[in-house]
Amino acid sequence: AGLIPPEQILLNYYYPFPCRVLDVSCGTGLQAIALARQGHKVTGVNLAASLVGQARRNAVQQGVGVTFKRIDDLKLDVDDASYDLAVIFSQKIQHLPGRATRVAFLREIARVLVPAGFVFLSAHDRYHPTMNDLCPSFESIAEPDGEEGDVYLLNLHGVESKGKAFFHYSTPDELRVEVTEAGLHVWQVARHSELGGEPGMDRLFYMVAARQPFDPV
């Protein structure tokens, strides 16, 4: 229905009730539409006008009410404290080049969350053994002046990338530091299989962060 099991499990646990959701880098609206079908009030944002247009058409065709907006330069054209939840699924945080850029964007995400708001992220762990399973399906080159974990994806599952698609393969510790520097507090880090996914995909990890510190009491 647009959300894979780990994404749905996180949503069910933290937001089993309707809330205001910001779908960051929404693509063609697959996840935003799935969220809206579950009763959430969803806004999807993306840098690419073509994808925003396709997302709008998909929502209309499926009879689902979702607001889709194009953003410029990673600045969210929304007011402070506008959303209860932001989702950055499908490892999209890893398309942002440069640690400073990722921290600045996460800080922008924090700005639009309510004081009790959360953000869900997913990412590839570059050192996890299951990353080896990707080796036959893509070719990569390291960015000459980049950070460790930066690559240009040339081919994935037999489909050539249009141009040089940038990825930054992180680690849970590195992403935790970036999230913390953005003023957010990490509540949970879990592997794919720990949230109902298959163990063969445990190169994927999920991070839940909030504006408020975690209080076990």
Side-chain angles (χ1 to χ4, degrees):
L3 297 177
I4 62 176
E7 297 166 350
Q8 188 66 59
I9 285 174
L10 288 176
L11 185 69
N12 291 348
Y13 184 80
Y14 287 93
Y15 287 96
F17 46 84
C19 68
R20 296 165 296 176
V21 184
L22 180 67
D23 182 5
V24 180
S25 191
C26 62
T28 58
L30 181 68
Q31 291 157 327
I33 291 170
L35 288 162
R37 286 189 184 280
Q38 297 183 44
H40 302 287
K41 184 177 181 180
V42 185
T43 300
V45 296
N46 205 292
L47 288 168
S50 60
L51 292 178
V52 170
Q54 185 60 56
R56 288 171 177 162
R57 290 190 291 273
N58 289 342
V60 169
Q61 290 171 0
Q62 298 186 42
V64 179
V66 182
T67 300
F68 291 104
K69 300 171 60 175
R70 182 181 178 276
I71 58 174
D72 293 307
D73 299 326
L74 304 180
K75 295 294 183 181
L76 302 173
D77 185 22
V78 296
D79 295 334
D80 295 355
S82 299
Y83 294 94
D84 305 293
L85 170 66
V87 297
I88 315 177
F89 284 142
S90 301
Q91 301 73 255
K92 292 168 184 172
I93 191 68
Q94 297 187 306
H95 289 293
L96 296 180
R99 184 170 180 271
T101 300
R102 291 187 294 275
V103 171
F105 190 54
L106 288 168
R107 190 173 292 122
E108 178 74 350
I109 296 294
R111 178 187 68 80
V112 305
L113 291 176
V114 299
F118 283 83
V119 56
F120 299 163
L121 305 101
S122 65
H124 285 102
D125 182 351
R126 69 173 179 266
Y127 294 135
H128 195 273
T130 61
M131 282 295 289
N132 295 330
D133 297 337
L134 290 178
C135 289
S137 59
F138 73 81
E139 299 174 17
S140 62
I141 57 174
E143 187 176 2
D145 57 348
E147 303 163 333
E148 183 179 3
D150 287 357
V151 300
Y152 285 123
L153 188 66
L154 304 178
N155 183 290
L156 180 62
H157 302 306
V159 179
E160 291 188 5
S161 172
K162 295 180 179 179
K164 292 182 177 181
F166 176 86
F167 277 82
H168 173 73
Y169 291 118
S170 185
T171 70
D173 287 343
E174 288 174 355
L175 187 57
R176 181 189 292 272
V177 170
E178 292 174 2
V179 166
T180 301
E181 287 188 3
L184 294 162
H185 303 270
V186 175
W187 279 46
Q188 182 179 1
V189 180
R191 293 285 174 189
H192 193 71
S193 63
E194 294 174 323
L195 295 172
E198 58 274 25
M201 292 286 287
D202 268 353
R203 60 182 171 272
L204 297 180
F205 66 92
Y206 298 80
M207 187 170 290
V208 176
R211 290 190 58 188
Q212 298 292 334
F214 177 72
D215 185 355
V217 178

